[in-house]
Amino acid sequence: MMKKAVLLIVTLVLMIAVPVVSGSSLQSVNDAMNEQNGTDVTVGGYIVGVPVSTSTVQQSNFTSDYALALADAPGETQMSEMIFIKLDAAYRSEFGLMSDPSNLGDYIVVDGTRDDYFAHEGVENVTSISRDATEDPGTGTGYYADAEGQSGVALKQALHNIIDDHNEISYANAWDALRNTDEDPNNPNNVLLLYTGKSISKYDNGGLVDEWNREHVWPQSKGDFGTVMGTGTDLHALRPTDVTVNSSRQNLDYDNGGRVHPEAPNTFYDGDSWEPRDEVKGDIARMVFYMAVRYEGDAGEVDLEVLDQVEVDGPYLGKLSTLKEWHDQDPVDAFERNRNEVIFDEYQGNRNPFIDHPEYVEAIW
C-alpha cells in the first residue's frame, strides 16, 4: 500500500513538472509573435522579405538566404507585423529569396521554436517548412496557383482567367454593398469617403451637396460602359465619394499636379489629371490595375488598358508610370485588405490580385 502511494505521488510530481507544449495547431503570424520564447509553434504566413539586421527587411534585391520574414498579409511592409524565420542550410536553396526571388508572396507553414532573431520576434530550430495551399487564408485553396511562375502578358492573362466571371450585382444594390465594403472601422454607422477621407452616415447617400455617391474609379466614359452590370458595378473599383468632389473629378486621368480642391485639401487637379490624397494613392492605382486585368474584351465586355499618358480617348486610362509610383509609395493597408475580403466573401467571389500580391504590378507592367 505504501509503495502505491509513493508511486502515485511521484507520478503527480512528474505530471506537474512536464511543461505543456503549445503550438500543435496552426497559428497566424500575429498569434505566434505573442508566444513566449521556447514555445514550439506551427506558424503560417506569407513570405514578405529577408531580415538582414535589427532594423532592415529586404523586400527586393535580396542578398541573403539565411532567414525569411513572414506576415499575415502578402503585401505587408511594417516590420512590427512580421515574424523572422531562421533558415538552416537544409531549407535555404528551396525557400531562400536570394536563391529564388519568386518565393516572395508564397504562403508557407513553419514548425519550429519561438526565439528572437535579430532581437525581433522569430522562430529558430525549424523542423519543417511546407507550402500548404489549403491553409492560405482568404484566397481559397490555390487561388493564384495558375499565376505562379508567370510574368508579363502571360501573368496578366492568367490573373484575368482567375478573377473573370465574377458574381455581378445591380447598380442599385451597390448602395448597400458600399455601406458594407467601405464601413468606417471606427464608426459602424458611417462610410469613409475616398477622396476627402471624411466619415459620414451610411445613409447620407444620393446626389445632393454633402451627400455621397458611387464613384467609378475607372470613369464610365473611358470605355463607355455606363452602369451595366459587371464593368459598371464592379465593387473592386466603385467607392463612396463626396458628390461635389466626384463632380470635379469627372473623367480625368490620374497624374501629379494641379490646384488644390477646395473641399479636399490634399487633392489636386487641373484640366487633364487628378491627384488624390496620399493615403489612397496606392488604393486607386491597384483598383485601376485590377480593371485593366479583369476586363480584356472577352464575353462581350470592354477591353480596358492603362497607358502612360493622359487625355486619351477610348477605353484607356493613365498615367501608368504615375500609378506605379503611387502603388509603391502607398502600400496595401488593413482597410484595403478587409475590403478585398468582404467583396470576395459576400458579393463577387473574386479578388483584387494587386492587394494580395503587390509584386504582380511590376511583373506585368
Side-chain angles (χ1 to χ4, degrees):
M1 188 71 175
M2 179 65 71
K3 290 181 179 179
K4 289 183 178 180
V6 171
L7 181 60
L8 178 60
I9 292 171
V10 171
T11 302
L12 289 172
V13 169
L14 288 173
M15 289 175 65
I16 294 172
V18 175
V20 177
V21 178
S22 62
S24 59
S25 59
L26 182 69
Q27 294 176 290
S28 68
V29 167
N30 185 65
D31 288 341
M33 289 171 70
N34 291 324
E35 293 283 0
Q36 294 182 350
N37 283 351
T39 304
D40 289 344
V41 294
T42 300
V43 56
Y46 295 95
I47 300 174
V48 294
V50 175
V52 292
S53 73
T54 57
S55 60
T56 304
V57 173
Q58 296 175 339
Q59 297 195 284
S60 62
N61 303 317
F62 308 110
T63 62
S64 171
D65 281 334
Y66 288 91
L68 293 174
L70 296 192
D72 286 326
E76 187 59 67
T77 61
Q78 300 300 312
M79 189 183 296
S80 61
E81 300 298 320
M82 302 175 187
I83 195 167
F84 296 168
I85 310 298
K86 183 181 179 182
L87 291 182
D88 294 326
Y91 302 104
R92 292 171 190 164
S93 61
E94 181 178 358
F95 295 99
L97 286 176
M98 185 175 72
S99 293
D100 188 358
S102 69
N103 287 325
L104 187 69
D106 284 0
Y107 185 88
I108 62 174
V109 176
V110 179
D111 290 299
T113 304
R114 262 289 282 118
D115 197 5
D116 289 352
Y117 187 74
F118 280 131
H120 182 88
E121 292 89 346
V123 176
E124 298 191 1
N125 301 317
V126 172
T127 58
S128 72
I129 302 179
S130 62
R131 302 177 193 274
D132 193 345
T134 63
E135 299 292 351
D136 190 342
T139 60
T141 302
Y143 189 81
Y144 292 110
D146 290 343
E148 290 183 6
Q150 306 284 358
S151 63
V153 174
L155 175 57
K156 190 168 183 274
Q157 184 61 49
L159 293 177
H160 169 74
N161 293 340
I162 291 169
I163 65 176
D164 195 15
D165 300 321
H166 70 263
N167 300 321
E168 299 174 352
I169 68 170
S170 70
Y171 197 49
N173 288 338
W175 289 117
D176 276 337
L178 291 175
R179 292 184 181 104
N180 189 9
T181 61
D182 289 71
E183 179 181 288
D184 182 349
N186 296 315
N187 186 345
N189 297 313
N190 287 10
V191 292
L192 290 176
L193 304 188
L194 179 65
Y195 297 133
T196 64
K198 291 180 179 178
S199 176
I200 71 172
S201 170
K202 289 180 175 181
Y203 297 97
D204 283 348
N205 61 289
L208 301 178
V209 174
D210 294 329
E211 291 184 331
W212 65 269
N213 59 6
R214 299 156 293 184
E215 156 74 328
H216 289 84
V217 172
W218 189 296
Q220 302 169 57
S221 63
K222 299 278 189 174
D224 195 27
F225 50 79
T227 58
V228 63
M229 285 180 59
T231 323
T233 66
D234 197 316
L235 294 172
H236 283 296
L238 205 61
R239 298 290 294 268
T241 57
D242 178 270
V243 167
T244 307
V245 179
N246 190 13
S247 178
S248 299
R249 191 266 162 130
Q250 298 182 27
N251 67 344
L252 295 172
D253 293 285
Y254 293 106
D255 200 5
N256 295 315
R259 62 189 181 277
V260 176
H261 193 283
E263 293 193 49
N266 297 310
T267 297
F268 304 85
Y269 70 118
D270 53 27
D272 59 22
S273 68
W274 182 266
E275 179 186 353
R277 58 194 176 99
D278 290 346
E279 294 82 356
V280 296
K281 279 185 165 75
D283 306 50
I284 286 169
R286 288 179 281 275
M287 287 186 279
V288 170
F289 294 140
Y290 163 87
M291 292 292 281
V293 169
R294 169 60 185 85
Y295 299 98
E296 292 280 45
D298 52 2
E301 295 174 337
V302 64
D303 184 4
L304 303 178
E305 298 294 341
V306 189
L307 301 182
D308 197 28
Q309 60 190 94
V310 296
E311 286 194 295
V312 291
D313 295 326
Y316 309 111
L317 189 63
K319 184 177 181 183
L320 176 59
S321 57
T322 300
L323 290 165
K324 288 178 65 178
E325 290 175 2
W326 292 356
H327 168 67
D328 291 334
Q329 292 169 6
D330 175 34
V332 177
D333 58 24
F335 187 85
E336 264 186 287
R337 287 191 288 268
N338 179 72
R339 195 173 193 277
N340 202 24
E341 296 296 339
V342 172
I343 294 172
F344 175 68
D345 290 335
E346 301 183 29
Y347 296 100
Q348 297 186 177
N350 73 342
R351 306 180 65 82
N352 183 331
F354 305 105
I355 294 174
D356 293 327
H357 289 278
E359 72 278 8
Y360 285 164
V361 173
E362 188 62 36
I364 295 174
W365 288 285

